[in-house]
């Protein structure tokens, strides 16, 4: 079994000490989240007494489960794991049931079963119906829930409803949710060359913040995915009078009516210095406010 990083040791130690019902690992790509969950999952399933019990693994698709979970589990356990025609495999005398969770109707495949544990890979890609159903299935005594995910937009339900509630306890005082954040540098086994290369080849802006920094930043609805506030926003300054001025309008009634004021510098860069945004307003009223 591969050596563990300091962060992985810390997470496993804290999990074993605090025994949360629901463990969530989020953060940047290649930071060691999934490997940590794999080890904890093996420990949980092997620690469950017989007779045979059911467990659940969910992912974006069955294919992603095979790539991200099944293959690494096979390597750790030094065995060949193959899914049967129903998407199941045997583990420590128990039955592990795998489900894709990306569609509105994916949850139906899980209905009716009692699970003693659930492992959600890439949980931000799951449809909420699948998440709700899997929670309901985990009614077996001693069941535990393990999630891993990369960051998405800051108002994603996985962040708001679960990660932000790390430390929550139930009415009996048991730890309900425990979350840990991973950064790229937490993986001590990545070479310096790899880290420099992945940073250099990842576009600056939303993708860099999410995949490299592990930040939950907005993306939905934006036009320029490489917009980076630290680069593209500055303190106001006096605009020279000889810079050409332009205005742009995007008409809307229910959707926002927007006007932008800009100035073009000698190098051809457009500086936006004023903005007007309003909804549910008559054109005549827009005109008065703009004037």
């Amino acid at each position: 079994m591969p050596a563990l990083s300091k962060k992985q040791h810390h997470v496993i130690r804290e999990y074993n000490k605090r025994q949360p019902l629901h463990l969530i690992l989020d953060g940047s790509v290649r930071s060691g989240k999934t490997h940590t969950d794999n080890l904890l999952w093996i420990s949980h399933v092997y620690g469950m007494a017989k007779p045979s019990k059911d467990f659940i693994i969910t992912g974006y698709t069955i294919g992603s489960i095979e790539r991200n979970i099944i293959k690494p589990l096979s390597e750790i356990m030094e065995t060949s794991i193959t899914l049967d025609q129903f998407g199941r495999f045997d583990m420590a005398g128990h039955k592990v049931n795998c489900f894709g969770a990306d569609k509105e109707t994916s949850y139906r495949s899980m209905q009716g079963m009692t699970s003693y544990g659930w492992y959600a890979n890439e949980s931000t890609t799951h449809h909420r119906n699948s998440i709700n159903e899997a929670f309901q299935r985990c009614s077996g005594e001693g069941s535990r829930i393990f999630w891993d995910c990369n960051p998405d937009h800051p108002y994603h339900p996985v962040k708001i409803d679960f990660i932000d509630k790390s430390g929550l306890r139930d009415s009996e005082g048991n730890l309900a949710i425990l979350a840990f954040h991973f950064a790229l540098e937490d993986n001590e086994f990545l070479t310096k060359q790899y880290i420099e290369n992945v940073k250099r080849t990842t576009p600056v802006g939303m993708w860099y913040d999410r995949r490299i920094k592990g930040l939950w930043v907005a993306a939905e609805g934006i036009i320029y995915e490489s917009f980076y506030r630290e680069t593209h926003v500055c303190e106001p300054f006096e605009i020279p009078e000889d810079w050409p001025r332009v205005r742009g309008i995007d008409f809307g009634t229910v959707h926002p009516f927007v006007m932008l004021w800009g100035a073009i510098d000698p190098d051809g860069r457009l500086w936006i210095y004023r903005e007007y945004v309003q909804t549910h307003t008559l054109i005549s009223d827009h005109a008065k406010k703009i004037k």
Side-chain angles (χ1 to χ4, degrees):
M1 185 179 71
L4 298 178
S5 68
K6 293 178 182 177
K7 184 59 173 280
Q8 290 171 322
H9 271 296
H10 173 69
V11 171
I12 292 173
R13 185 168 56 249
E14 287 297 303
Y15 172 81
N16 289 332
K17 181 174 69 174
R18 304 175 69 180
Q19 288 293 300
L21 170 64
H22 186 181
L23 178 73
I24 311 172
L25 308 182
D26 82 285
S28 65
V29 297
R30 300 289 295 147
S31 57
K33 306 182 302 295
T34 303
H35 182 63
T36 307
D37 265 346
N38 283 344
L39 295 176
L40 291 172
W41 177 252
I42 292 172
S43 177
H44 176 65
V45 176
Y46 271 81
M48 191 63 66
K50 295 180 182 179
S52 179
K53 295 176 175 60
D54 282 305
F55 295 82
I56 293 173
I57 293 179
T58 56
Y60 183 62
T61 63
I62 292 294
S64 67
I65 293 174
E66 290 179 318
R67 289 191 305 273
N68 300 338
I69 305 300
I70 303 302
K71 186 174 182 294
L73 284 179
S74 297
E75 294 172 354
I76 295 171
M77 299 167 60
E78 298 182 345
T79 186
S80 178
I81 299 176
T82 304
L83 301 184
D84 65 18
Q85 60 180 325
F86 303 107
R88 305 175 302 183
F89 67 92
D90 293 322
M91 186 174 176
H94 302 295
K95 191 71 69 177
V96 180
N97 304 266
C98 300
F99 304 99
D102 61 320
K103 296 181 176 60
E104 182 180 1
T105 57
S106 296
Y107 76 97
R108 294 175 181 173
S109 301
M110 289 182 263
Q111 289 181 318
M113 68 182 297
T114 297
S115 178
Y116 287 78
W118 169 30
Y119 182 175
N121 175 241
E122 300 177 330
S123 57
T124 51
T125 67
H126 290 31
H127 194 282
R128 191 59 188 257
N129 288 351
S130 294
I131 289 177
N132 292 341
E133 187 67 29
F135 271 122
Q136 294 172 15
R137 295 304 104 209
C138 289
S139 59
E141 184 177 355
S143 63
R144 290 290 185 271
I145 298 166
F146 307 87
W147 284 9
D148 68 67
C149 64
N150 296 324
D152 206 286
H153 63 84
Y155 302 106
H156 195 289
V158 167
K159 181 179 184 297
I160 298 299
D161 296 340
F162 301 101
I163 293 176
D164 288 351
K165 295 181 180 178
S166 179
L168 178 71
R169 293 185 178 274
D170 63 22
S171 59
E172 297 181 352
N174 301 308
L175 184 58
I177 302 174
L178 183 62
F180 291 94
H181 180 78
F182 280 67
L184 182 63
E185 285 77 9
D186 284 327
N187 189 339
E188 302 161 8
F189 307 107
L190 297 177
T191 65
K192 182 178 179 181
Q193 182 181 35
Y194 171 83
I195 293 176
E196 290 178 353
N197 182 63
V198 74
K199 286 182 176 181
R200 184 176 62 253
T201 56
T202 302
V204 172
M206 180 269 292
W207 289 115
Y208 192 94
D209 285 346
R210 287 186 183 179
R211 301 179 69 82
I212 305 302
K213 293 184 177 181
L215 301 178
W216 294 77
V217 294
E220 288 188 359
I222 68 170
I223 303 302
Y224 302 102
E225 292 188 349
S226 293
F227 176 81
Y228 195 51
R229 181 168 295 276
E230 294 180 10
T231 300
H232 297 110
V233 177
C234 69
E235 291 296 322
F237 60 90
E238 191 70 28
I239 299 175
E241 293 185 1
D242 61 343
W243 286 15
R245 309 298 175 103
V246 295
R247 281 187 285 179
I249 295 178
D250 183 10
F251 281 91
T253 51
V254 176
H255 295 293
F257 175 103
V258 179
M259 173 171 278
L260 301 177
W261 284 256
I264 302 173
D265 69 16
D267 293 322
R269 290 174 296 193
L270 174 64
W271 299 78
I272 301 299
Y273 62 88
R274 184 177 297 141
E275 176 185 63
Y276 169 80
V277 182
Q278 192 61 261
T279 59
H280 302 287
T281 304
L282 297 174
I283 296 298
S284 57
D285 291 330
H286 285 311
K288 292 177 182 178
K289 292 180 180 180
I290 289 170
K291 287 182 179 180

